[in-house]
Amino acid sequence: TREKEYMKTDIYEKQNRYILEIDLPGIKKENIKINYENGYLTITAEKTIQEARPDNYIRRERFYGEIKRSFYIGIKKETEIKAIYKEGILYISFPKEDEPKKTAKNISIT
């Protein structure tokens, strides 16, 4: 799918936390949204076309538009989900153990 092609993701463990490392090159931090609801973490990103670009392209392969991808991470405290965006890569970390309650919360990116 387009989401997997444009949101390539590595997931690994580090010090009792899971880390998602998501490639989002060329996307501004303010155009990335992270939502957590009922155990699902959903990342939405939008890349817009630069106005200064010429209209007479010979070839255009780069993606522009909105992409969205979801991951089931289990029930967590939203305050324990951390996100950092640096040099075109979004890092999201969360604890390995599940919490017993359901929550819905937008996660801020630092």
Side-chain angles (χ1 to χ4, degrees):
T1 65
R2 184 174 67 166
E3 287 76 14
K4 287 183 181 179
E5 182 180 345
Y6 293 109
M7 284 185 135
K8 294 185 187 294
T9 304
D10 293 337
I11 303 171
Y12 56 92
E13 296 179 44
K14 186 175 181 180
Q15 299 173 352
N16 208 27
R17 293 181 71 82
Y18 289 116
I19 314 287
L20 276 71
E21 200 171 295
I22 305 168
D23 284 348
L24 293 170
I27 298 177
K28 295 179 181 178
K29 182 174 131 179
E30 58 268 15
N31 291 337
I32 302 170
K33 304 285 185 266
I34 303 171
N35 179 268
Y36 172 69
E37 186 172 357
N38 298 326
Y40 285 90
L41 194 63
T42 302
I43 299 94
T44 306
E46 184 176 6
K47 185 174 182 182
T48 56
I49 297 175
Q50 302 275 329
E51 294 299 323
R53 305 275 180 172
D55 291 331
N56 54 348
Y57 281 95
I58 305 298
R59 182 182 195 116
R60 186 176 231 167
E61 293 183 349
R62 293 185 292 165
F63 169 78
Y64 295 97
E66 183 179 277
I67 49 176
K68 183 185 285 191
R69 192 157 182 204
S70 293
F71 298 90
Y72 183 76
I73 65 168
I75 304 302
K76 311 288 179 194
K77 288 183 183 176
E78 67 273 1
T79 57
E80 291 296 316
I81 302 170
K82 306 294 180 194
I84 297 171
Y85 187 61
K86 188 166 96 174
E87 298 179 5
I89 300 173
L90 178 63
Y91 300 89
I92 303 172
S93 70
F94 52 91
K96 291 167 89 173
E97 55 285 331
D98 291 346
E99 289 295 320
K101 62 180 182 170
K102 293 185 177 187
T103 60
K105 176 75 176 168
N106 287 323
I107 308 301
S108 64
I109 303 170
T110 57

